Amino acid sequence: MKLGIARERREGERRVAATPETVQQLIGLGLEVLVESRAGTASGHGDDAYVLAGARVVRELEPGSLDILAHVRPLEPATAAALRRGAVTVGLASPSSELATVQALAAAGVTSFALELVPRISRAQSMDALSSQALVAGYRCVLEAAMRLPRFFPLFMTAAGTIPPARVLVLGVGVAGLQAIGTAKRLGARVSANDIRPASADEVASMGGTFIRLDLETAEASGGYARELSADRGALQRRLLAPHVAQTDVLITTAAVPGRRAPLLVSKEMVQGMRPGSVVVDLAAESGGNVEGSVPGQDIEVDTADGQGTVTLVGMKDAASAMPADASRLYAKNVANLLALMVRDGTLAVDFGDEVVAGTCLTHDGEVRHAPTAEALAVSGGPASRDATPGGAAPGGATKRESENKGVV
């Protein structure tokens, strides 16, 4: 069976769905691996490295000739339509925002697996691309902040005087937030954090941070996810956070609610209340933004309320792609580990009785199996699945991660 590794074409995307290391793993499954020329160049893997690993490098993939297509970013509708009926795709699909592609996959009879839908259970952790890429993004956020902050992160005691450590506040304690806390601590900053899920307090403490407790209702959904606050509760949250934000040198926001617009945690007035020279990094800028006024891929200078300086507001874009070598190393393993569940002796054996396989499946045999996406397509006039189950899982299947690694990413 032919497995194709696509060269990503979306602007800013530098990751690849397979590395030479995972090519060997995939060949070990009995697959013939075709790698599109220069697919791994941006992540440090040249064509020769793939050839040495046993892959065949081709100038351009022909979607219609492939049994399996692995990718990073969501496919274009035209690519989905060009796949043969019964082909399998594995990659990020962004189903809530890429309905045209989902419709094309269903219409073409493609069995697609969206890595965003990997059930959050212990057995599936090695396939969880959201968590692996959030780790990279959380780390990157701190580096971006450190490069822009006009002062040191760590404490310095010198003959010329003592320089106190920078104060870093992280809002949203999922995988990305925890990585941001750990990275800021390693750089020597004094770190505090907040999340609307009470279980996050122990996680923050385990990373060396201080948890900020607000007099706010618990907002934890099933599986440890955060859920959206009502409008009035959201406003109360911002009021309670305002004094903490004002005392911060670096603010990093990572909060997200799966399948929805990112919650607004920080208003423009809160940013203006920070000290001149402070830095705000909004990891959620691409999904609507946790910080009012953030723009993906742009630095914006916001005047402080006292008119004595500015605060730098950084809207993150393609955060994981900014570190393509290790991001690809992790992502490629996620892809290979998922395929290992579905390939036996070089033959596809898709078992929908497996909760991981069933939960990750987006489309199959002309139908949309992920219930929220099927409902969205039905509203927009597209096809909906009669067999779709909530969260995309098989009946009785888990769709969230167990207690470890709880939270938003």
Side-chain angles (χ1 to χ4, degrees):
M1 300 192 74
K2 293 183 179 180
L3 164 65
I5 306 300
R7 181 178 73 250
E8 299 299 316
R9 288 170 168 78
R10 294 205 181 191
E11 184 179 357
E13 183 53 69
R14 302 168 65 197
R15 293 170 292 178
V16 65
T19 63
E21 177 187 2
T22 62
V23 162
Q24 294 177 340
Q25 180 181 351
L26 295 167
I27 291 174
L29 296 175
L31 297 172
E32 178 187 357
V33 181
L34 281 64
V35 178
E36 198 165 15
S37 182
R38 302 182 70 248
T41 301
S43 58
H45 305 295
D47 290 349
D48 290 346
Y50 285 106
V51 172
L52 287 174
R56 179 157 62 95
V57 175
V58 297
R59 190 169 67 112
E60 189 170 338
L61 288 177
E62 297 179 6
S65 69
L66 300 174
D67 299 295
I68 307 170
L69 174 63
H71 57 94
V72 180
R73 288 298 183 106
L75 299 174
E76 296 293 336
T79 302
L83 292 164
R84 68 169 183 79
R85 187 171 189 84
V88 168
T89 65
V90 177
L92 296 171
S94 299
S96 63
S97 60
E98 301 286 342
L99 292 178
T101 294
V102 175
Q103 188 167 354
L105 288 166
V110 172
T111 299
S112 61
F113 293 91
L115 291 177
E116 298 96 331
L117 305 182
V118 170
R120 302 206 134 196
I121 58 176
S122 297
R123 188 167 69 87
Q125 286 188 26
S126 66
M127 311 160 208
D128 187 353
L130 285 185
S131 290
S132 74
Q133 300 308 290
L135 182 146
V136 179
Y139 175 82
R140 185 71 187 193
C141 280
V142 177
L143 300 188
E144 296 289 345
M147 291 297 293
R148 291 167 172 81
L149 187 69
R151 53 169 301 183
F152 293 123
F153 261 47
L155 165 73
F156 282 110
M157 300 179 70
T158 75
T162 298
I163 299 175
R167 293 175 179 267
V168 175
L169 173 59
V170 178
L171 300 181
V173 186
V175 175
L178 289 172
Q179 183 57 217
I181 293 169
T183 303
K185 286 293 292 184
R186 287 191 289 270
L187 290 179
R190 182 180 299 171
V191 185
S192 57
N194 173 258
D195 194 287
I196 53 179
R197 295 165 300 121
S200 300
D202 290 340
E203 296 172 336
V204 170
S206 72
M207 300 300 292
T210 300
F211 189 76
I212 296 174
R213 296 186 182 277
L214 304 178
D215 185 15
L216 200 65
E217 69 173 334
T218 297
E220 186 169 0
S222 61
Y225 275 112
R227 62 175 171 80
E228 278 190 301
L229 293 176
S230 60
D232 58 337
R233 288 293 182 176
L236 175 59
Q237 180 188 32
R238 290 189 287 276
R239 288 199 300 273
L240 295 174
L241 283 173
H244 299 283
V245 171
Q247 299 169 10
T248 298
D249 299 302
V250 171
L251 173 63
I252 296 173
T253 65
T254 70
V257 178
R260 297 179 182 271
R261 189 186 189 282
L264 179 64
L265 304 181
V266 181
S267 66
K268 182 178 179 180
E269 289 73 23
M270 292 166 69
V271 174
Q272 291 174 325
M274 298 176 73
R275 289 191 287 264
S278 298
V279 177
V280 178
V281 179
D282 187 357
L283 179 59
E286 288 186 281
S287 59
N290 294 146
V291 184
E292 184 179 7
S294 67
V295 179
Q298 293 187 23
D299 286 14
I300 297 173
E301 298 298 324
V302 180
D303 292 332
T304 57
D306 60 11
Q308 299 302 304
T310 61
V311 175
T312 303
L313 173 55
V314 183
M316 292 297 290
K317 182 180 181 182
D318 301 320
S321 293
M323 307 194 74
D326 285 333
S328 294
R329 181 193 301 268
L330 296 170
Y331 183 85
K333 287 296 289 184
N334 297 146
V335 170
N337 290 337
L338 180 59
L339 284 171
L341 286 182
M342 301 185 289
V343 177
R344 298 286 184 275
D345 300 322
T347 303
L348 272 171
V350 180
D351 177 14
F352 288 113
D354 185 310
E355 63 183 335
V356 176
V357 174
T360 309
C361 186
L362 178 60
T363 64
H364 174 66
D365 195 24
E367 294 182 343
V368 179
R369 291 177 59 93
H370 181 237
T373 304
E375 292 166 5
L377 277 169
V379 170
S380 66
S385 170
R386 61 179 179 274
D387 298 323
T389 55
T399 58
K400 307 295 181 187
R401 169 152 311 186
E402 294 174 340
S403 58
E404 69 272 25
N405 284 340
K406 284 182 176 181
V408 294
V409 293

